[in-house]
Amino acid sequence: MANIRASLGGIVTGALVLSVLSWIVALAGVAALQHDGLGGATLGFIWWGVWFQFFVLVLILAATFTSYKSLANTNYTFLGMVTVVLMVTADQSRNLVSALSGSRRQAAQASLAGTILLIIFNIVLILAIAADPEDAAVSNTSHRAPQQSKAATSPSMTSNPVATV
């Protein structure tokens, strides 16, 4: 069990490091598009997706490197949501790549590359967090009904001593 935990920890750490690097690439691409004078709703949604990914990465880093292992379900939820947002962002970046030329096209390509890599690493993180037996044990035990103690169910505790006299 410890060997599986160690290998999953390495996968999660590697995916997180590569996610941060991919996020920097996506951020640089969107910033370059903004710097070149491109704006509008499309670029606004791409910005939103990039910053949403940042906050999800912070949440996962906090859960991974602290004792908050019970955030596994929260991580699933936010990773799933941000992956969907990044898929739409990748589609919009792909449309920009085909519509632009020159340095704007290169910036859109950087944004697209970073977004695609983020999608891949988010899926790896979802699978690695889902395979973590410790997180599964924490989330499974937190939903169990409390057990009655044996002292509370013993006949001497349940009978009324006044009624038997």
Side-chain angles (χ1 to χ4, degrees):
M1 189 65 89
N3 191 17
I4 293 172
R5 176 92 174 124
S7 65
L8 287 174
I11 291 171
V12 169
T13 304
L16 282 172
V17 168
L18 293 173
S19 289
V20 169
L21 295 174
S22 301
W23 180 80
I24 292 170
V25 170
L27 180 69
V30 178
L33 284 171
Q34 183 82 36
H35 179 70
D36 284 344
L38 192 66
T42 299
L43 197 58
F45 187 79
I46 295 172
W47 271 117
W48 187 82
V50 168
W51 284 108
F52 186 31
Q53 176 69 36
F54 173 76
F55 291 115
V56 170
L57 284 174
V58 169
L59 176 71
I60 294 169
L61 287 169
T64 301
F65 296 113
T66 63
S67 62
Y68 295 114
K69 299 296 182 191
S70 62
L71 289 175
N73 290 336
T74 305
N75 287 339
Y76 295 140
T77 304
F78 282 114
L79 275 170
M81 288 188 313
V82 77
T83 302
V84 170
V85 168
L86 288 175
M87 287 180 183
V88 175
T89 300
D91 183 54
Q92 291 180 348
S93 295
R94 185 188 53 80
N95 291 338
L96 288 175
V97 166
S98 62
L100 300 174
S101 62
S103 65
R104 285 182 174 183
R105 181 183 177 100
Q106 291 173 347
Q109 288 172 338
S111 175
L112 179 61
T115 304
I116 289 172
L117 289 172
L118 282 170
I119 292 167
I120 292 168
F121 296 129
N122 281 353
I123 292 170
V124 169
L125 284 170
I126 289 170
L127 295 175
I129 292 171
D132 191 352
E134 183 177 302
D135 284 342
V138 169
S139 64
N140 287 338
T141 58
S142 65
H143 299 294
R144 289 187 184 160
Q147 299 284 333
Q148 283 188 333
S149 66
K150 289 184 180 180
T153 59
S154 68
S156 63
M157 297 296 287
T158 58
S159 62
N160 187 353
V162 177
T164 58
V165 176

